[in-house]
mmCIF file of all heavy atoms in Angstrom:
data_model
loop_
_atom_site.group_PDB
_atom_site.id
_atom_site.type_symbol
_atom_site.label_atom_id
_atom_site.label_comp_id
_atom_site.label_asym_id
_atom_site.label_seq_id
_atom_site.Cartn_x
_atom_site.Cartn_y
_atom_site.Cartn_z
ATOM 1 N N LEU K 174 30.642 139.678 -80.227
ATOM 2 C CA LEU K 174 31.711 140.212 -81.062
ATOM 3 C C LEU K 174 32.023 139.262 -82.220
ATOM 4 O O LEU K 174 32.182 139.704 -83.371
ATOM 5 C CB LEU K 174 32.962 140.452 -80.219
ATOM 6 C CG LEU K 174 34.163 141.035 -80.968
ATOM 7 C CD1 LEU K 174 33.827 142.408 -81.544
ATOM 8 C CD2 LEU K 174 35.382 141.123 -80.048
ATOM 9 N N ALA K 175 32.122 137.978 -81.932
ATOM 10 C CA ALA K 175 32.391 137.012 -82.996
ATOM 11 C C ALA K 175 31.294 137.042 -84.050
ATOM 12 O O ALA K 175 31.569 136.963 -85.256
ATOM 13 C CB ALA K 175 32.523 135.612 -82.404
ATOM 14 N N ALA K 176 30.049 137.150 -83.608
ATOM 15 C CA ALA K 176 28.935 137.211 -84.550
ATOM 16 C C ALA K 176 29.001 138.477 -85.392
ATOM 17 O O ALA K 176 28.802 138.443 -86.619
ATOM 18 C CB ALA K 176 27.610 137.153 -83.790
ATOM 19 N N MET K 177 29.271 139.605 -84.773
ATOM 20 C CA MET K 177 29.313 140.880 -85.485
ATOM 21 C C MET K 177 30.423 140.904 -86.529
ATOM 22 O O MET K 177 30.237 141.421 -87.641
ATOM 23 C CB MET K 177 29.518 142.016 -84.487
ATOM 24 C CG MET K 177 29.560 143.399 -85.123
ATOM 25 S SD MET K 177 29.880 144.712 -83.909
ATOM 26 C CE MET K 177 31.623 144.410 -83.546
ATOM 27 N N LEU K 178 31.592 140.324 -86.192
ATOM 28 C CA LEU K 178 32.727 140.336 -87.099
ATOM 29 C C LEU K 178 32.725 139.153 -88.067
ATOM 30 O O LEU K 178 33.586 139.078 -88.951
ATOM 31 C CB LEU K 178 34.039 140.336 -86.305
ATOM 32 C CG LEU K 178 34.280 141.544 -85.398
ATOM 33 C CD1 LEU K 178 35.604 141.395 -84.653
ATOM 34 C CD2 LEU K 178 34.277 142.843 -86.208
ATOM 35 N N GLY K 179 31.783 138.231 -87.890
ATOM 36 C CA GLY K 179 31.729 137.068 -88.765
ATOM 37 C C GLY K 179 32.920 136.152 -88.610
ATOM 38 O O GLY K 179 33.470 135.632 -89.584
ATOM 39 N N LEU K 180 33.325 135.904 -87.353
ATOM 40 C CA LEU K 180 34.484 135.070 -87.064
ATOM 41 C C LEU K 180 34.057 133.802 -86.340
ATOM 42 O O LEU K 180 33.024 133.779 -85.658
ATOM 43 C CB LEU K 180 35.485 135.835 -86.191
ATOM 44 C CG LEU K 180 36.124 137.066 -86.831
ATOM 45 C CD1 LEU K 180 37.015 137.789 -85.821
ATOM 46 C CD2 LEU K 180 36.923 136.693 -88.074
ATOM 47 N N PRO K 181 34.830 132.737 -86.451
ATOM 48 C CA PRO K 181 34.540 131.539 -85.649
ATOM 49 C C PRO K 181 34.705 131.844 -84.170
ATOM 50 O O PRO K 181 35.475 132.731 -83.777
ATOM 51 C CB PRO K 181 35.552 130.515 -86.152
ATOM 52 C CG PRO K 181 36.624 131.312 -86.817
ATOM 53 C CD PRO K 181 35.998 132.560 -87.325
ATOM 54 N N TYR K 182 33.992 131.078 -83.361
ATOM 55 C CA TYR K 182 33.890 131.362 -81.925
ATOM 56 C C TYR K 182 34.227 130.109 -81.142
ATOM 57 O O TYR K 182 33.756 129.011 -81.447
ATOM 58 C CB TYR K 182 32.456 131.808 -81.613
ATOM 59 C CG TYR K 182 32.160 132.105 -80.172
ATOM 60 C CD1 TYR K 182 32.937 132.987 -79.430
ATOM 61 C CD2 TYR K 182 31.051 131.533 -79.548
ATOM 62 C CE1 TYR K 182 32.637 133.279 -78.114
ATOM 63 C CE2 TYR K 182 30.741 131.825 -78.225
ATOM 64 C CZ TYR K 182 31.534 132.689 -77.514
ATOM 65 O OH TYR K 182 31.228 132.986 -76.207
ATOM 66 N N ALA K 183 35.073 130.262 -80.125
ATOM 67 C CA ALA K 183 35.431 129.153 -79.242
ATOM 68 C C ALA K 183 35.010 129.496 -77.826
ATOM 69 O O ALA K 183 35.459 130.510 -77.273
ATOM 70 C CB ALA K 183 36.929 128.879 -79.305
ATOM 71 N N PHE K 184 34.155 128.673 -77.237
ATOM 72 C CA PHE K 184 33.644 128.939 -75.894
ATOM 73 C C PHE K 184 34.392 128.098 -74.873
ATOM 74 O O PHE K 184 34.553 126.889 -75.035
ATOM 75 C CB PHE K 184 32.146 128.631 -75.807
ATOM 76 C CG PHE K 184 31.537 129.120 -74.519
ATOM 77 C CD1 PHE K 184 31.029 130.398 -74.423
ATOM 78 C CD2 PHE K 184 31.501 128.304 -73.393
ATOM 79 C CE1 PHE K 184 30.494 130.864 -73.225
ATOM 80 C CE2 PHE K 184 30.972 128.758 -72.199
ATOM 81 C CZ PHE K 184 30.466 130.040 -72.120
ATOM 82 N N ALA K 185 34.832 128.758 -73.788
ATOM 83 C CA ALA K 185 35.695 128.124 -72.785
ATOM 84 C C ALA K 185 34.890 127.358 -71.739
ATOM 85 O O ALA K 185 35.063 127.548 -70.533
ATOM 86 C CB ALA K 185 36.564 129.178 -72.111
ATOM 87 N N SER K 186 34.045 126.454 -72.205
ATOM 88 C CA SER K 186 33.210 125.696 -71.265
ATOM 89 C C SER K 186 33.999 124.635 -70.512
ATOM 90 O O SER K 186 33.463 124.014 -69.593
ATOM 91 C CB SER K 186 32.041 125.044 -72.009
ATOM 92 O OG SER K 186 32.442 124.545 -73.263
ATOM 93 N N HIS K 187 35.264 124.444 -70.851
ATOM 94 C CA HIS K 187 36.077 123.479 -70.108
ATOM 95 C C HIS K 187 36.407 123.982 -68.714
ATOM 96 O O HIS K 187 36.827 123.200 -67.859
ATOM 97 C CB HIS K 187 37.355 123.136 -70.866
ATOM 98 C CG HIS K 187 38.231 124.310 -71.155
ATOM 99 N ND1 HIS K 187 37.857 125.305 -72.032
ATOM 100 C CD2 HIS K 187 39.453 124.665 -70.688
ATOM 101 C CE1 HIS K 187 38.814 126.219 -72.099
ATOM 102 N NE2 HIS K 187 39.789 125.861 -71.284
ATOM 103 N N PHE K 188 36.214 125.305 -68.459
ATOM 104 C CA PHE K 188 36.390 125.797 -67.088
ATOM 105 C C PHE K 188 35.350 126.841 -66.693
ATOM 106 O O PHE K 188 35.279 127.217 -65.526
ATOM 107 C CB PHE K 188 37.799 126.377 -66.880
ATOM 108 C CG PHE K 188 38.038 127.706 -67.547
ATOM 109 C CD1 PHE K 188 37.773 128.889 -66.881
ATOM 110 C CD2 PHE K 188 38.523 127.762 -68.840
ATOM 111 C CE1 PHE K 188 37.993 130.113 -67.497
ATOM 112 C CE2 PHE K 188 38.756 128.981 -69.458
ATOM 113 C CZ PHE K 188 38.487 130.154 -68.787
ATOM 114 N N ALA K 189 34.542 127.316 -67.634
ATOM 115 C CA ALA K 189 33.529 128.344 -67.335
ATOM 116 C C ALA K 189 32.259 128.049 -68.127
ATOM 117 O O ALA K 189 31.938 128.758 -69.085
ATOM 118 C CB ALA K 189 34.073 129.730 -67.670
ATOM 119 N N PRO K 190 31.523 127.004 -67.732
ATOM 120 C CA PRO K 190 30.421 126.524 -68.578
ATOM 121 C C PRO K 190 29.090 127.241 -68.411
ATOM 122 O O PRO K 190 28.160 126.968 -69.178
ATOM 123 C CB PRO K 190 30.286 125.066 -68.133
ATOM 124 C CG PRO K 190 30.676 125.089 -66.684
ATOM 125 C CD PRO K 190 31.771 126.119 -66.581
ATOM 126 N N ASP K 191 28.965 128.148 -67.452
ATOM 127 C CA ASP K 191 27.635 128.635 -67.081
ATOM 128 C C ASP K 191 26.848 129.254 -68.232
ATOM 129 O O ASP K 191 25.641 129.027 -68.363
ATOM 130 C CB ASP K 191 27.744 129.649 -65.937
ATOM 131 C CG ASP K 191 28.144 128.993 -64.619
ATOM 132 O OD1 ASP K 191 28.126 127.746 -64.565
ATOM 133 O OD2 ASP K 191 28.466 129.715 -63.660
ATOM 134 N N ALA K 192 27.502 130.059 -69.077
ATOM 135 C CA ALA K 192 26.781 130.780 -70.130
ATOM 136 C C ALA K 192 26.840 130.067 -71.480
ATOM 137 O O ALA K 192 26.510 130.672 -72.511
ATOM 138 C CB ALA K 192 27.333 132.201 -70.261
ATOM 139 N N LEU K 193 27.230 128.806 -71.495
ATOM 140 C CA LEU K 193 27.474 128.106 -72.750
ATOM 141 C C LEU K 193 26.291 128.168 -73.710
ATOM 142 O O LEU K 193 26.422 128.643 -74.846
ATOM 143 C CB LEU K 193 27.845 126.649 -72.470
ATOM 144 C CG LEU K 193 27.909 125.719 -73.688
ATOM 145 C CD1 LEU K 193 28.952 126.192 -74.682
ATOM 146 C CD2 LEU K 193 28.193 124.284 -73.247
ATOM 147 N N MET K 194 25.144 127.692 -73.303
ATOM 148 C CA MET K 194 24.026 127.579 -74.232
ATOM 149 C C MET K 194 23.522 128.945 -74.685
ATOM 150 O O MET K 194 23.186 129.147 -75.858
ATOM 151 C CB MET K 194 22.895 126.771 -73.585
ATOM 152 C CG MET K 194 23.276 125.340 -73.256
ATOM 153 S SD MET K 194 23.980 124.407 -74.653
ATOM 154 C CE MET K 194 22.560 124.338 -75.739
#
Side-chain angles (χ1 to χ4, degrees):
L174 181 62
M177 181 183 72
L178 298 179
L180 295 176
Y182 178 53
F184 190 89
S186 40
H187 59 292
F188 73 90
D191 290 349
L193 170 61
M194 297 307 294

